[in-house]
Amino acid sequence: MITLYDYELSGNCYKLRLLMGMLGVEWKTVPVDFYPGREHKSDWFLKINPLGQLPVIDDDGLVLRDAQAILVYLASKYDASGTWYPRDNPALLGEISQWLAFADGITGTASAARLHDALFYDFDVEAARAGAHRLFRILDEHLWFGEQEGRNWICSASQPTIADIACFPYIMLSEEGGIPRQDYPAIRRWCDRVKRLKGFSVMSGVFPAGPAKAA
Amino acid sequence: MLDLAKTRWHPIAAGYDLPLRHVFHGQLLGREFAVWRADDGYVNIWENRCLHRGVRLSIGINDGRELKCQYHGWRYSNRTAGCTYIPAHPADAPARTITNRTFAAVERYGLVWSAEEPQGEVPEIPGLAEGELLALRGIPVNAPADVVAARLKGYRFQPNAALDGKDAKVAVEASNDFTVALRAVEGGAATLAAFFVQPVDSNRSVIRGVLDGKVEGAARLAVLRHHNELLSALRVAVEAEAAHKPAPAPLEPVIERVSPELAEMPEETKHGRKATIRVQVARKWPAADGIAGFELRPIKGLLPTFQPGAHIDVHLPNGLIRQYSITNGPGESDSYVIGVKLERDSKGGSTCLHETVREGDVLAISEPRNNFPLRRDAVQTLFIAGGIGITPLLAMAQALKNQSLAHELHYFAQNEAQLAFPEKTSTLGASLKPHLGLSPDQTGAMLREILSGYGPDKHVYLCGPGPMLEAARHIAAEMGWPETAVHFEYFKNTNVIDDSTSFEVALARSCMTLTVPAGKTILEVMRDAGIDMPSSCEQGACGTCLATVIEGEPDHQDVYLNDAERKSGTKIMTCVSRAKSARLVLDL
C-alpha cells in the first residue's frame, strides 16, 4: 500500500491524489502540518526528505520525493493502459518531460504567489505573478493551436498524460495568488476537460465541472 | 469617450470561445461577463456575479439549459437569467426579482458582440462575407484600446496565398478608435484583415482579427500561425510602449440594482387578473388524442422566467380566462408550450382553444405563477399524472432529469393515443411509467403499489382528475406519507360553494374593516374597496389569492390547501372560502 505524506492545501500533493484517483490506486495518508506547524521542516520529516518538501510517497519501502518524479513512477507502475506515461514512445516521453519541467516553472511562480498571499511567505510576489503570466501565455497559445489541430491535451497524444496532471493544480489555484486566468480562454477550456476525466477529484479551491453534453 | 464606447458594439469573444457546457469569462469596459452558449444555441451574456453572494458566475456550471452558481447552487435560466431554484429554500418558488442582468449578444464575423447601451448595428466591414471568414486567435494586450488600434494601422502581414513572400503592400482601408481594416497585396494575392480591438478595461484590450476568405487544412494553420506570431510581436511592442506611461485607473462599472419594473409592486388595476404579455400561437398541433398543443411565442422581447410547476392565465377571445401549466423543460425559454384537453362539458374554454384559436393568433397571457413548486432535495421524487394532469409534472420531470435526480413519472391514461407530448416524454427514458386502460379499482391498486415504501425525504406530486387525486391522497396517507411530502394540484374545484354566510373581514395592514355579504366573495369585496389582490383561477384551485389569517376561523371551500394547512387555520383562499366566525382578521 502506498503511503502519501500529504498536505491538503498543497497543489503538488494534489497532483498525486489526482493521478492515484484516476488510476484507481489505493493509498493511505500521513498528514503533514505544512502551515502553520512547519512540520515539513521537522526532524522526523527531514529524515524522510532532507529537502524538507512535500509530497513524499513510500511504496512498500521505496521512498520517493518530488511531485513530477512520483507522477512518472506511479504512471509507470500502476497505469495498465499505458497512456499516462507511454514508455514505448520516445517522442512523447520527451514532450512529457518538457512539460513536467514547465510544471515546475508554474510551481516556482504561480504557487509562490499563492504562498505569499495565502500563507504569508516573504516572496517577490510581483515577480512571481509576472512569471506565471509569461508561462500562461505560452501554454494558452499552445493549447489554442492544439484545439485547432484537434488535440485536447498538452502533449500530442489522443489521451491525457501526466503532463496535464502536473500543470493542472497550480493553474487552477492561481487566483489564490492574484493571477486571474481571464486572458487565457484556451487554458480555461482545457481545465474543463481535465475536470471531466474519470476519477477526477477536487481540493479546496478547485471546483468541479458539469458533465459534457452527451454525444 | 467612455460614454461613446459604451454605445458601440464590441466583440467580447470569438465563436470558438463558446463550446457547449462551458462558461467564458469576458469583460468589456471594466464590466465582467459570464458568457455561455445553451444547448439550443442561444448565447447568454450576463453580469458576472451571482445575485446571492456576488460570486463570479464564470466559474459556474453550464448544464446546457441553466447556469448553476458554484457557491450555493442557485440556478438561472437560459435567455432570461431568472432564478429558477434556490437549494436552501427547496419548498419555495424564487421571487421574480431574482433576475440577473443580461446584455445584448450578436454573432457576426465569427465573433460574439455586445454593448452596454447599444446604439445602431454591429460595424459593417465591406468585403467581409459571413461564413467565408477566418477568425484569428484573440490576442490580449495590456494597453489601452486606442493605443493598440493606432499601432495596428502599421501592422504588416502577407496575404493568405503568399505567406512565404516578404513584400506585401499593406494599405489601411478603414479605421477608427476600435477598428482597423487592412488589405495586403502581393502579386495576384490579396487578403483583407479586419481587426476589432475589444476595450477590456482602461489599460487592457484584446485584438480580435478576422480575414476574408476561407482557408482549409494545413494552409489554414499556417495563416493562423503567421498572424499569431506577428500580432504577438506587436503586443510586445505595444506593451513596452504602454509600460512607459502611467497606467490609467481601472474602469469601475456600476452594478445595477434590480430593474425598477421588477423591484416595484405590480401596478394596481381594478381587474385583479393581469394579462401583461402578448404571445402569438406559433404552432398548434394534436399533442395526443383530444389534447391540443400550443406553442406560444412572445410578440416582442423575452418571456418571463418560469419554474417547473408554474401556470399562466390565458385570456381567450370569448372573454374567458383559463389556467394552463407550462410544460417546458429547463432552459427552453423561447416559448411556452401548453396542452389543452377538450372537455366534454366545456363551458367554452377548451372548446374555444380547440376550435377557434389558430396558428398566428395573438393571445394575452399573464406572467407565470408558481403555486406548485418542485423541491429538488428529495432522495426520490414520484410524479403521478392522470390524463392532462401530465402538464405541470412533465416540466418537473424534465427539470429533475436535467440534474440527474432520481424520479419516476407515473402517467395514467386510457390508451396510448392519449399520452400527450410523446416527443417530450420520450426524453425521460426509463423514468416514464405509463399505466394504460386501468379501471378505477385497478388504478387504486396500482397507486397502492407506487406509493408503498415511503421513506424519509421522498416526495410525491399529484395532478389529475379530482376523484383520482382524492384516491391518491387517501392512499398516500394510509401508506404513511406525511402531508408535507404530498404535493398536489387540482384542475378545478368541484366543491359546491356555500356563499350564504355574511361576516366581517378586518385587513390588519390596510387598516380597513369590510363586510362580506352573502353572494359575494372576500376577494370581490376587497377589490370593491380598492384593495388589489392577485388572483388566477378564482375557484379555489390554483393558490394565487392566498392570504394569511391572523384571527378568526376560516370556512375552507377550496381544493388548494392540504388538511394540515386547513386545520392550522392560518391560511385562506380569498376567492371561495369564507368565515365560520363573525370576524376574520387577515394580514393584508
Side-chain angles (χ1 to χ4, degrees):
Chain A
M1 171 90 97
I2 297 171
T3 299
L4 171 65
Y5 293 86
D6 189 28
Y7 179 58
E8 168 61 31
L9 299 181
S10 156
N12 272 330
C13 295
Y14 175 49
K15 291 174 190 177
L16 307 188
R17 299 195 297 264
L18 258 184
L19 184 66
M20 289 192 288
M22 290 176 181
L23 294 178
V25 176
E26 290 193 4
W27 75 93
K28 64 175 193 206
T29 295
V30 175
V32 178
D33 184 18
F34 182 88
Y35 184 89
R38 288 182 57 80
E39 207 176 356
H40 58 301
K41 303 293 184 194
S42 65
D43 290 344
W44 76 266
F45 189 78
L46 286 173
K47 280 181 201 154
I48 297 168
N49 180 3
L51 295 176
Q53 292 170 342
L54 287 170
V56 169
I57 64 160
D58 181 338
D59 189 5
D60 280 336
L62 174 68
V63 178
L64 286 174
R65 61 174 185 252
D66 186 290
Q68 273 66 248
I70 298 170
L71 288 175
V72 168
Y73 168 74
L74 291 172
S76 303
K77 178 150 185 200
Y78 293 104
D79 172 24
S81 72
T83 58
W84 287 100
Y85 191 69
R87 279 165 293 165
D88 51 358
N89 187 334
L92 209 45
L93 290 186
E95 271 186 63
I96 291 172
S97 296
Q98 168 187 301
W99 289 104
L100 291 183
F102 189 87
D104 254 340
I106 297 174
T107 305
T109 53
S111 168
R114 176 170 171 262
L115 288 174
H116 172 275
D117 283 12
L119 305 186
F120 317 112
Y121 274 59
D122 184 19
F123 288 146
D124 180 350
V125 70
E126 289 309 324
R129 286 180 189 145
H133 279 296
R134 203 156 48 239
L135 296 176
F136 287 5
R137 272 189 177 180
I138 290 166
L139 182 60
D140 187 77
E141 178 180 298
H142 175 72
L143 288 168
W144 191 88
F145 279 100
E147 287 177 342
Q148 298 301 315
E149 293 164 11
R151 197 187 73 225
N152 278 330
W153 308 105
I154 289 180
C155 294
S156 57
S158 59
Q159 304 287 326
T161 65
I162 57 170
D164 297 285
I165 302 299
C167 289
F168 178 79
Y170 286 119
I171 290 176
M172 262 334 283
L173 296 168
S174 71
E175 268 156 354
E176 296 184 359
I179 304 158
R181 294 185 297 282
Q182 193 188 358
D183 282 347
Y184 314 108
I187 290 182
R188 294 185 78 252
R189 293 192 288 277
W190 165 79
C191 287
D192 275 10
R193 294 195 286 273
V194 173
K195 290 175 179 182
R196 287 179 179 140
L197 289 171
K198 195 163 173 284
F200 176 78
S201 55
V202 295
M203 67 168 275
S204 178
V206 178
F207 296 103
K213 189 174 190 307
Chain B
M1 174 69 190
L2 181 60
D3 288 344
L4 181 68
K6 278 184 182 175
T7 65
R8 297 240 191 116
W9 289 90
H10 300 277
I12 57 135
Y16 55 69
D17 284 319
L18 304 182
L20 296 179
R21 309 297 177 100
H22 178 73
V23 188
F24 176 80
H25 186 177
Q27 189 170 340
L28 184 62
L29 296 166
R31 183 183 299 284
E32 284 190 32
F33 299 130
V35 188
W36 62 286
R37 190 189 293 279
D39 283 1
D40 67 5
Y42 190 85
V43 174
N44 293 282
I45 303 180
W46 295 357
E47 189 98 72
N48 193 17
R49 59 192 294 277
C50 178
L51 291 163
H52 178 215
R53 288 293 191 182
V55 164
R56 285 190 170 103
L57 289 174
S58 55
I59 63 165
I61 289 176
N62 164 5
D63 76 7
R65 295 161 173 269
E66 296 179 323
L67 189 63
K68 184 180 118 181
C69 178
Q70 287 278 15
Y71 201 17
H72 297 101
W74 288 33
R75 305 183 73 92
Y76 297 93
S77 174
N78 179 26
R79 280 189 189 78
T80 61
C83 179
T84 58
Y85 188 64
I86 299 173
H89 297 279
D92 300 324
R96 66 184 192 129
T97 46
I98 307 175
T99 295
N100 201 353
R101 185 171 179 195
T102 60
F103 296 88
V106 170
E107 288 191 84
R108 190 111 194 247
Y109 306 136
L111 303 174
V112 179
W113 300 72
S114 192
E116 198 155 309
E117 299 151 10
Q119 288 177 14
E121 303 292 323
V122 171
E124 186 76 38
I125 305 292
L128 282 190
E130 204 65 50
E132 298 287 312
L133 303 168
L134 181 60
L136 303 177
R137 175 170 177 253
I139 305 287
V141 187
N142 292 321
D146 54 342
V147 175
V148 176
R151 183 70 77 136
L152 276 166
K153 282 188 231 170
Y155 181 70
R156 293 287 166 269
F157 65 102
Q158 290 296 120
N160 293 349
L163 278 191
D164 296 335
K166 282 192 164 41
D167 305 316
K169 296 267 181 298
V170 181
V172 177
E173 298 225 326
S175 74
N176 63 31
D177 289 346
F178 302 105
T179 309
V180 178
L182 303 168
R183 188 178 295 277
V185 181
E186 183 170 325
T191 293
L192 176 70
F195 293 99
F196 307 101
V197 183
Q198 169 190 349
V200 174
D201 207 328
S202 60
N203 201 35
R204 293 165 58 209
S205 314
V206 178
I207 304 171
R208 299 199 181 274
V210 178
L211 307 184
D212 69 340
K214 254 198 165 134
V215 204
E216 303 287 353
R220 178 172 173 279
L221 273 172
V223 170
L224 291 172
R225 287 197 186 277
H226 174 69
H227 284 274
N228 188 64
E229 204 173 292
L230 293 172
L231 290 170
S232 296
L234 182 139
R235 157 164 77 185
V236 170
V238 177
E239 287 186 346
E241 177 191 328
H244 287 301
K245 296 180 196 154
L251 302 175
E252 285 185 18
V254 177
I255 306 294
E256 266 193 354
R257 302 185 72 84
V258 172
S259 72
E261 89 211 41
L262 275 179
E264 278 166 18
M265 294 294 285
E267 85 187 58
E268 290 202 9
T269 55
K270 281 285 176 211
H271 198 291
R273 295 199 269 191
K274 288 171 224 57
T276 50
I277 303 163
R278 298 294 173 272
V279 290
Q280 189 162 35
V281 179
R283 195 158 70 97
K284 174 183 177 181
W285 74 102
D289 199 3
I291 297 174
F294 291 84
E295 183 182 355
L296 309 175
R297 284 188 178 275
I299 299 287
K300 61 176 182 190
L302 294 177
L303 291 169
T305 310
F306 64 91
Q307 297 132 12
H311 74 266
I312 49 171
D313 292 349
V314 178
H315 291 241
L316 299 172
N318 62 9
L320 293 174
I321 305 171
R322 289 290 182 267
Q323 290 73 46
Y324 295 101
S325 296
I326 298 172
T327 64
N328 299 37
E332 293 171 358
S333 42
D334 55 341
S335 63
Y336 295 149
V337 173
I338 60 170
V340 180
K341 184 187 176 196
L342 182 60
E343 296 290 347
R344 256 175 297 169
D345 55 349
S346 169
K347 291 182 188 138
S350 65
T351 314
C352 177
L353 275 160
H354 270 257
E355 292 171 7
T356 311
V357 175
R358 297 177 197 186
E359 286 185 2
D361 286 359
V362 173
L363 296 172
I365 64 170
S366 68
E367 294 210 341
R369 239 179 252 111
N370 194 0
N371 302 319
F372 194 28
L374 170 67
R375 300 181 68 110
R376 307 191 201 183
D377 59 345
V379 295
Q380 204 204 12
T381 304
L382 299 178
F383 299 112
I384 299 178
I388 192 64
I390 186 68
T391 51
L393 303 185
L394 185 53
M396 294 181 180
Q398 290 172 93
L400 294 191
K401 157 96 179 158
N402 187 48
Q403 287 176 245
S404 304
L405 297 172
H407 65 282
E408 286 178 2
L409 172 55
H410 296 272
Y411 188 0
F412 291 78
Q414 281 309 311
N415 54 56
E416 191 154 358
Q418 290 189 2
L419 295 174
F421 300 110
E423 71 287 354
K424 282 179 188 279
T425 55
S426 64
T427 65
L428 297 172
S431 70
L432 175 72
K433 318 249 183 228
H435 304 286
L436 303 176
L438 302 186
S439 69
D441 284 349
Q442 288 170 318
T443 301
M446 182 54 72
L447 287 172
R448 260 170 215 288
E449 196 180 317
I450 296 166
L451 290 167
S452 64
Y454 168 74
D457 295 318
K458 279 190 172 186
H459 284 261
V460 62
Y461 293 77
L462 312 165
C463 189
M468 181 188 164
L469 247 62
E470 295 297 340
R473 287 174 62 192
H474 188 71
I475 292 168
E478 255 177 47
M479 298 276 187
W481 290 73
E483 287 204 340
T484 49
V486 180
H487 314 265
F488 53 86
E489 186 173 77
Y490 282 81
F491 304 147
K492 58 186 172 192
N493 185 357
T494 50
N495 294 340
V496 178
I497 306 295
D498 173 9
D499 62 358
S500 62
T501 53
S502 163
F503 54 97
E504 206 170 70
V505 171
L507 306 179
R509 275 191 277 164
S510 309
C511 306
M512 288 174 97
T513 301
L514 307 171
T515 301
V516 181
K520 278 196 122 176
T521 67
I522 301 175
L523 187 64
E524 286 166 348
V525 170
M526 287 196 299
R527 285 192 178 145
D528 289 347
I531 303 292
D532 195 45
M533 181 79 187
S535 69
S536 179
C537 77
E538 301 194 351
Q539 52 163 299
C542 78
T544 306
C545 66
L546 180 106
T548 299
V549 178
I550 298 171
E551 205 181 295
E553 190 187 349
D555 173 17
H556 296 293
Q557 307 202 34
D558 64 283
V559 291
Y560 179 77
L561 299 176
N562 67 28
D563 290 342
E565 289 167 327
R566 283 162 178 256
K567 279 189 201 119
S568 78
T570 58
K571 289 174 177 167
I572 188 168
M573 306 314 305
T574 55
C575 65
V576 290
S577 296
R578 306 179 71 82
K580 285 184 180 161
S581 49
R583 179 179 156 92
L584 273 185
V585 182
L586 302 183
D587 186 20
L588 287 171

